[in-house]
Amino acid sequence: MAIERTLVLVKPDGLQRGLVGAIVSRLEGRGLKIVAMKLMRLDAALARRHYEAHVGKPFFRGLAQFITSSPLVAMVLEGKDAVEVVRRAMGDTDPVKAAPGTIRGDLGLDIGRNLVHGSDSPEAAEREVALFFQEGEVLDYRRDVDPWITES
Ligand code: IDP
Ligand code: MG
């Protein structure tokens, strides 16, 4: 069983729209464990590093402007196959195509305002977690409920 960690952002649109609780609740309710969480405002340098794969694309300017425009909530979630579970829970990048039942499919309309970020691979997760959190900010702790969420 792969216990993974993944970086999740409730983007500025989620915070401005009062959807932080709703979004966190969906992921928390799934059984994923919150091992780090903070409210922060990205500067241009961190936005660029986080989205380095998109630097130079036509939407990058708008994306960087949006993600730095207002605070966001950054968190690290841990659990079985956490990377894939979060990606599927978020839905397609474009909310128009995202399935109902997903975060973007239920709460979003526009690709440039799609509410949430989740790392797309365990390797990306490791890089992104290190960008957003210092080692001491990611906490290791036990939950007594864990055997009721995963079998082993
Ligand atoms: P992801 O967030 O589903 O992993 P990526 O392809 O990594 O999607 O793109 C990162 C973010 O850039 C998206 O979440 C979205 O906010 C924005 N984005 C991606 N493609 C477009 C586009 O074509 N127009 C506007 N924004 C885009
Ligand atoms: Mg991505």
Side-chain angles (χ1 to χ4, degrees):
M1 181 174 70
I3 296 291
E4 296 173 346
R5 286 179 170 176
T6 189
L7 181 82
V8 175
L9 306 176
V10 178
K11 296 181 181 180
D13 50 341
L15 192 74
Q16 288 284 340
R17 291 177 55 197
L19 294 172
V20 173
I23 291 169
V24 173
S25 181
R26 285 169 179 241
L27 300 171
E28 195 183 23
R30 197 71 186 275
L32 294 170
K33 179 163 76 173
I34 300 167
V35 293
M37 181 179 260
K38 64 181 165 188
L39 184 71
M40 59 192 291
R41 183 156 177 180
L42 298 205
D43 61 19
L46 182 52
R48 201 178 173 83
R49 290 182 74 189
H50 174 61
Y51 283 124
E52 68 180 11
H54 301 302
V55 173
K57 293 185 183 171
F59 61 82
F60 180 76
R61 261 178 82 94
L63 174 61
Q65 202 281 330
F66 159 67
I67 206 75
T68 58
S69 63
S70 185
L72 52 71
V73 174
M75 71 199 94
V76 182
L77 300 183
E78 182 182 282
K80 179 169 144 36
D81 299 315
V83 169
E84 184 178 356
V85 166
V86 169
R87 294 289 296 186
R88 288 179 180 269
M90 293 195 307
D92 194 284
T93 303
D94 183 352
V96 172
K97 299 187 186 122
T102 64
I103 293 167
R104 290 162 170 171
D106 285 348
L107 302 172
L109 271 183
D110 188 286
I111 193 168
R113 299 287 185 270
N114 63 4
L115 295 161
V116 66
H117 167 85
S119 308
D120 66 7
S121 69
E123 297 70 35
E126 199 173 326
R127 184 184 79 83
E128 293 172 0
V129 167
L131 278 180
F132 282 79
F133 292 95
Q134 306 199 326
E135 246 170 62
E137 292 179 315
V138 183
L139 305 186
D140 235 334
Y141 65 99
R142 265 180 45 83
R143 292 186 309 186
D144 289 341
V145 76
D146 282 338
W148 299 101
I149 296 169
T150 51
E151 187 175 359
S152 55

